[in-house]
């Protein structure tokens, strides 16, 4: 079970985009995620009329390491660490470490 999943709202903790907030668009592999509006790079794209792609310079979101992002806690309005808890019915859920509330995603 992953601590950070697709659709989660995260805060960048370190690096050039420190403090930025965005949603996880894609889980690339075990250690990398793509976050909306974070770690942007300019990509030169060739035009392809067969696919209807226009050429030019495009901004592309690049992967960032999972260790450089933290889950956003709406209750405290800050980045927070994530832990796991097993409920009475046997279901394993994610909880925020600071206040113990469930992560609703």
């Amino acid at each position: 079970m992953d601590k950070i999943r697709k659709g989660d709202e995260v805060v960048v903790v370190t690096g050039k985009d420190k403090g930025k907030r965005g949603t996880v668009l894609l889980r690339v592999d075990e250690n990398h995620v793509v976050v909306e509006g974070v770690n942007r790079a300019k990509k030169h794209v060739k035009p392809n009329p067969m696919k209807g792609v226009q050429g030019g310079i495009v901004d592309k979101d690049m992967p960032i390491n999972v260790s450089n992002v933290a889950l956003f806690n709406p209750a405290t309005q800050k980045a927070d660490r994530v832990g796991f808890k097993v409920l009475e019915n046997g279901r394993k859920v994610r909880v925020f470490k600071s206040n113990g509330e469930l992560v609703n995603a």
Side-chain angles (χ1 to χ4, degrees):
M1 185 178 249
D2 300 323
K3 292 186 178 188
I4 294 175
R5 300 179 192 161
K6 181 180 175 180
D8 285 345
E9 190 166 355
V10 294
V11 179
V12 180
V13 180
T14 57
K16 65 176 183 176
D17 293 322
K18 181 177 180 177
K20 284 190 180 176
R21 227 166 84 187
T23 57
V24 176
L25 299 174
L26 172 73
R27 184 88 194 211
V28 179
D29 59 28
E30 193 176 318
N31 296 319
H32 293 86
V33 291
V34 174
V35 181
E36 183 180 21
V38 173
N39 198 19
R40 288 219 148 162
K42 299 240 183 245
K43 174 130 173 82
H44 295 262
V45 180
K46 268 188 163 181
N48 189 347
M50 297 294 281
K51 292 184 180 175
V53 177
Q54 190 176 358
I57 301 169
V58 178
D59 282 334
K60 183 180 180 186
D61 294 327
M62 299 302 285
I64 187 169
N65 201 296
V66 174
S67 64
N68 297 336
V69 296
L71 211 59
F72 179 73
N73 190 343
T76 59
Q77 296 292 311
K78 291 182 185 174
D80 206 345
R81 294 180 302 146
V82 180
F84 294 103
K85 189 178 188 181
V86 179
L87 299 176
E88 301 85 36
N89 60 6
R91 212 173 103 221
K92 189 176 176 185
V93 292
R94 297 181 297 165
V95 293
F96 290 114
K97 288 274 192 173
S98 64
N99 53 7
E101 287 183 21
L102 295 177
V103 177
N104 40 345

